[in-house]
Amino acid sequence: MNEFSDDTLPPALSDRLGYLLGQAHLAHRRRAEVPLASLGLGVKEFGALSVLADEGPLSQQRLGKRMRVDRTTMVAVVDELERNGFVERERDPDDRRAYALRANSQGRRVLRRADEAARRADAEFLAPIPTADRRQLKNLLRRLISP
Amino acid sequence: MNEFSDDTLPPALSDRLGYLLGQAHLAHRRRAEVPLASLGLGVKEFGALSVLADEGPLSQQRLGKRMRVDRTTMVAVVDELERNGFVERERDPDDRRAYALRANSQGRRVLRRADEAARRADAEFLAPIPTADRRQLKNLLRRLISP
DNA sequence: ACTGATCGTCAGTTTTACTGATGATTACTC
DNA sequence: GAGTAATCATCAGTAAAACTGACGATCAGT
């Protein structure tokens, strides 16, 4: 019907940032999802566990705001992390409405492995561009999303 | 509870490509959605219309494969484009199962305006980084998603 | 003519995230 | 101090998006 094969980049979209970001995000996630799942972590759970391990005990809503995830959505995310034994729901002694979520030692152990897996996925995904450009890509993205 | 304000970049995630791409994509889409919607175009419809205007008449599935959108999902996308009078569903004379989708003149007119809107959104989104870096960002993304 | 594949469509399901309400607790106001 | 308003986690219901599997119509190859 025309000269374009099915899986090349449509020229009409190749200069549109939204399309480029969307496809890149999708391609990257496809790579990262499987190895993380084999550790018992979804993408969102991985992110939540990372933040918890790094920023000490956090309430559920605060963790949610930190990740831009809705408060009601965080319930299921933390449920899953707790069910797998990675995170514990203690009560915040200074505000007994809120939890003091904390990554336990098993959570930290799995997080180290997940980090490796994520870095491997990043490396595979970034393979087409030179090392210096990889660092710069991250820098540019960071600056674009910094508030 | 700790020293982090709610809307700064979590350090634990700031080196994770998946997170950076996801947040960038989200932030960009928030900017682009509103102006496109005021022209009667969703993000996906905008993309489909762009490809159709650029790559001549296409069948629905071929358009779908081109955009990595499922065949059943394309039905609604083209429905919407047709309902707004931007695209016409002719039959492909060489294969009467398939459509020959074609952007009509109104579709092309609206596409020009949508393109401007999208470029404005891109520019706003890219404002935090220098001009040369903007071009490079697009180049890097293109190379990462090229098959 | 016959078989198997493909095109667009639809009904139904799954996934995902949200709104709005709840009980428990806290902070504020007087 | 008592009463009111706000906040925390949760849940039920809802909305949006994309998929599965089926369908009739059409095509390609035998």
Side-chain angles (χ1 to χ4, degrees):
Chain A
M1 197 169 202
N2 67 31
E3 79 264 40
F4 296 104
S5 98
D6 279 345
D7 55 354
T8 57
L9 192 60
L13 304 181
S14 72
D15 197 42
R16 293 242 238 277
L17 197 52
Y19 177 79
L20 296 173
L21 287 170
Q23 292 300 316
H25 184 212
L26 188 64
H28 180 272
R29 198 170 48 199
R30 283 201 211 291
R31 278 194 188 280
E33 249 167 8
V34 173
L36 286 179
S38 77
L39 294 170
L41 288 173
V43 177
K44 216 166 287 177
E45 284 76 12
F46 176 45
L49 183 57
S50 304
V51 174
L52 279 180
D54 189 54
E55 303 187 11
L58 245 55
S59 83
Q60 221 164 270
Q61 292 210 22
R62 194 149 167 86
L63 175 59
K65 279 184 186 147
R66 209 95 186 76
M67 307 178 56
R68 306 194 206 194
V69 168
D70 188 84
R71 81 210 129 88
T72 63
T73 305
M74 280 305 309
V75 176
V77 173
V78 178
D79 277 354
E80 182 68 11
L81 286 170
E82 193 184 33
R83 200 180 60 74
N84 283 94
F86 301 151
V87 160
E88 275 152 34
R89 275 177 159 126
E90 300 164 15
R91 219 79 222 194
D92 181 347
D94 296 342
D95 182 350
R96 307 214 333 268
R97 295 168 302 182
Y99 289 135
L101 301 175
R102 167 186 320 276
N104 62 20
S105 61
Q106 193 191 344
R108 289 174 194 277
R109 209 174 316 132
V110 110
L111 182 57
R112 278 193 292 275
R113 299 221 288 147
D115 243 315
E116 282 175 35
R119 282 186 199 292
R120 248 192 315 275
D122 282 12
E124 286 173 25
F125 176 75
L126 291 170
I129 65 176
T131 314
D133 286 344
R134 300 178 200 178
R135 208 177 356 260
Q136 208 207 346
L137 175 66
K138 288 187 186 178
N139 279 330
L140 294 175
L141 291 173
R142 258 190 294 271
R143 290 170 64 186
L144 289 173
I145 68 181
S146 291
Chain B
M1 199 170 202
N2 67 30
E3 78 262 40
F4 296 104
S5 99
D6 280 345
D7 54 353
T8 57
L9 191 62
L13 304 181
S14 71
D15 198 44
R16 293 242 236 277
L17 196 53
Y19 178 79
L20 296 173
L21 287 170
Q23 292 299 315
H25 184 213
L26 188 65
H28 179 272
R29 198 171 48 199
R30 283 202 211 290
R31 279 196 187 279
E33 252 167 7
V34 174
L36 286 179
S38 75
L39 294 170
L41 288 174
V43 176
K44 215 166 287 178
E45 284 77 11
F46 176 45
L49 183 57
S50 304
V51 174
L52 278 180
D54 189 53
E55 302 187 12
L58 246 55
S59 82
Q60 218 164 271
Q61 293 208 21
R62 194 149 166 84
L63 175 58
K65 278 183 188 148
R66 211 95 185 75
M67 307 178 55
R68 305 192 207 195
V69 167
D70 189 84
R71 80 211 129 88
T72 63
T73 305
M74 280 305 308
V75 177
V77 173
V78 178
D79 278 354
E80 181 69 10
L81 286 170
E82 193 184 33
R83 200 181 60 75
N84 283 95
F86 300 151
V87 160
E88 275 152 33
R89 274 179 160 124
E90 300 164 15
R91 279 287 162 193
D92 181 343
D94 296 342
D95 183 349
R96 307 215 332 271
R97 295 168 303 180
Y99 288 135
L101 300 176
R102 166 186 320 276
N104 62 19
S105 61
Q106 193 191 343
R108 288 174 194 278
R109 209 173 317 132
V110 111
L111 182 57
R112 279 193 292 275
R113 299 221 289 147
D115 243 315
E116 283 175 35
R119 281 185 201 293
R120 249 192 314 275
D122 282 11
E124 288 174 22
F125 177 75
L126 291 171
I129 65 176
T131 314
D133 287 344
R134 299 178 201 178
R135 206 177 358 258
Q136 205 206 352
L137 175 65
K138 287 187 185 177
N139 279 330
L140 294 176
L141 291 173
R142 257 190 294 270
R143 291 170 61 186
L144 289 174
I145 69 182
S146 291

